[in-house]
């Protein structure tokens, strides 16, 4: 187990349970911080980073359910695992609604606990990997990468800085090789969405028959070999920026569907995906073909 992982916070008012959980996790290489109350847990959470929180449902003082709600409100990305000796379907639903990602009923096998913690470990690794990749992408698309000292280039930089903080849809015009992707990337890096995905699609490089599913996803069985629902690139860009290169090569029906998505932030491709928010930057170099 990598020592770079933050510790697991164990919250239980029974000493033997705290020791048992610590032993199981420590044997697998996880660092563990045991505490006996929700109040103490909230104090250490405000000062340290943790891989996840494991809490009993019944605690002296603030209950485990209340703790989950407080933790989820302040640290929504922090996974929380609830354990309890009084397991019922109703209590499990309440735990999940409060913000727990999983629920274990006592007595449980050590393997069940380790499986849940391993999921959090993999999630933590992927989040840090994504953060590193996004940081590298931001280095590539800094405003300073757009070189030139003409009045036109200076005006363009000023426009990028003006539009970047907004949620405006932006049409980027220019011949091939003039740096349209750099413009879209610079707007993304200067925006409040810079920590989210920056998705780039060359519409001319994807066959027309596949472009719609690439953008909006498809349902199970829509294509030969499709085993499950596949999210589209638009959904991947949720909260971030999507750059659609060569949109003039889209068919008119697909352009109409894209415009509908831009109007209300939703799309329909076998299911409804509400509230997808983000910026769309477009490249249209062939205005005479499609408008």
């Amino acid at each position: 187990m990598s020592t770079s992982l933050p510790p697991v916070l164990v919250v239980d008012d029974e000493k033997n349970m705290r020791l048992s959980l610590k032993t199981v996790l420590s044997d697998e290489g996880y660092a563990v911080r045991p505490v006996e109350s929700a109040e103490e847990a909230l104090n250490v959470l405000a000062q340290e980073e943790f891989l996840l929180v494991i809490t009993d449902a019944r605690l002296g003082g603030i209950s485990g359910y209340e703790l989950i709600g407080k933790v989820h409100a302040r640290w929504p990305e922090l996974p929380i695992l609830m354990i309890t000796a009084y397991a019922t379907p109703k209590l499990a639903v309440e735990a999940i609604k409060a913000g727990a990602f999983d629920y274990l009923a006592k007595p449980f096998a050590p393997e069940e606990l380790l499986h849940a913690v391993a999921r959090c470990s993999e999630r933590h690794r992927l989040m840090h990997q994504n953060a590193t990749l996004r940081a590298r992408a931001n280095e590539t698309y800094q405003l300073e990468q757009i070189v030139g000292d003409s009045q036109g280039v200076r005006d363009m930089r000023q426009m990028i800085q003006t539009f970047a903080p907004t949620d405006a849809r932006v049409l980027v015009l220019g011949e091939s090789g003039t740096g349209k992707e750099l413009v879209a990337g610079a707007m993304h890096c200067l925006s409040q969405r810079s920590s989210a995905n920056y998705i780039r699609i060359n519409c001319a490089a994807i066959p027309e028959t596949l472009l719609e599913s690439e953008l909006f996803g498809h349902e199970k069985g829509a294509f030969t070999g499709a085993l499950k629902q596949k999210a589209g690139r638009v959904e991947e860009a949720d909260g971030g920026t999507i750059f659609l290169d060569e949109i003039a090569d889209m068919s008119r029906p697909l352009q109409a569907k894209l415009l509908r998505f831009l109007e209300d932030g939703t799309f329909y491709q076998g299911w409804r995906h509400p509230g997808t928010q983000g910026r769309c930057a477009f490249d249209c170099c062939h205005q005479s073909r499609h408008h």
Side-chain angles (χ1 to χ4, degrees):
M1 181 58 57
S2 173
T3 57
S4 62
L5 287 174
V8 176
L9 180 62
V10 172
V11 190
D12 202 301
D13 56 1
E14 294 183 10
K15 182 178 180 180
N16 289 339
M17 192 63 186
R18 293 198 303 272
L19 292 176
S20 177
L21 291 171
K22 182 177 180 179
T23 298
V24 172
L25 294 172
S26 297
D27 286 347
E28 289 296 316
Y30 293 102
V32 181
R33 175 72 179 274
V35 298
E36 62 180 344
S37 69
E39 291 82 358
E40 187 178 356
L42 292 171
N43 286 335
V44 297
L45 281 168
Q47 302 172 29
E48 304 176 37
E49 179 188 1
F50 290 92
L51 177 64
L52 80 154
V53 176
I54 300 175
T55 180
D56 193 20
R58 295 194 175 187
L59 300 169
I62 298 176
S63 72
Y65 294 96
E66 292 176 282
L67 175 61
I68 291 175
K70 291 178 180 293
V71 172
H72 188 64
R74 293 183 61 182
W75 302 281
E77 297 299 321
L78 181 61
I80 309 169
L81 172 65
M82 173 170 278
I83 56 176
T84 180
Y86 306 94
T88 67
K90 180 180 178 181
L91 293 179
V93 170
E94 288 181 6
I96 300 302
K97 284 184 176 180
F101 85 95
D102 208 346
Y103 180 93
L104 291 180
K106 299 178 183 178
F108 50 83
E111 291 76 15
E112 293 181 82
L113 174 67
L114 293 174
H115 177 69
V117 177
R119 285 166 53 198
C120 293
S121 176
E122 178 64 11
R123 177 179 179 274
H124 183 274
R125 184 189 69 79
L126 291 174
M127 287 178 64
H128 278 257
Q129 184 181 67
N130 288 341
T132 300
L133 293 174
R134 285 169 182 160
R136 291 176 181 172
N138 286 348
E139 292 174 2
T140 302
Y141 294 107
Q142 295 292 331
L143 187 63
E144 292 74 16
Q145 299 297 321
I146 302 176
V147 298
D149 195 41
S150 67
Q151 186 60 47
V153 172
R154 290 198 295 270
D155 290 344
M156 181 177 63
R157 290 200 195 97
Q158 182 59 52
M159 290 181 66
I160 291 172
Q161 291 175 310
T162 300
F163 283 108
T166 74
D167 290 325
R169 276 64 166 170
V170 179
L171 176 64
V172 184
L173 300 174
E175 298 298 327
S176 296
T178 54
K180 298 182 292 296
E181 185 174 334
L182 285 177
V183 171
M187 284 192 293
H188 174 71
C189 292
L190 291 173
S191 73
Q192 297 180 348
R193 298 170 302 280
S194 59
S195 61
N197 289 332
Y198 172 43
I199 302 297
R200 302 169 296 280
I201 300 178
N202 186 336
C203 300
I206 302 174
E208 179 65 29
T209 54
L210 299 179
L211 183 55
E212 181 174 351
S213 66
E214 181 71 16
L215 287 171
F216 300 117
H218 62 259
E219 286 188 303
K220 178 180 178 180
F223 301 99
T224 301
L227 300 179
K228 60 180 180 179
Q229 289 182 341
K230 176 184 180 298
R233 305 305 299 279
V234 167
E235 189 172 350
E236 289 180 24
D238 190 10
T241 301
I242 184 168
F243 174 57
L244 302 177
D245 197 7
E246 301 290 355
I247 61 169
D249 289 287
M250 284 186 183
S251 66
R252 289 182 182 272
L254 186 51
Q255 288 187 31
K257 292 182 179 180
L258 182 63
L259 289 173
R260 174 57 62 88
F261 161 70
L262 293 177
E263 287 178 359
D264 58 13
T266 65
F267 61 88
Y268 186 82
Q269 179 63 28
W271 75 91
R272 194 82 176 164
H273 177 76
T276 299
Q277 300 295 330
R279 180 205 301 281
C280 267
F282 305 99
D283 158 36
C284 183
C285 298
H286 311 289
Q287 301 96 314
S288 61
R289 291 175 56 191
H290 299 291
H291 299 279

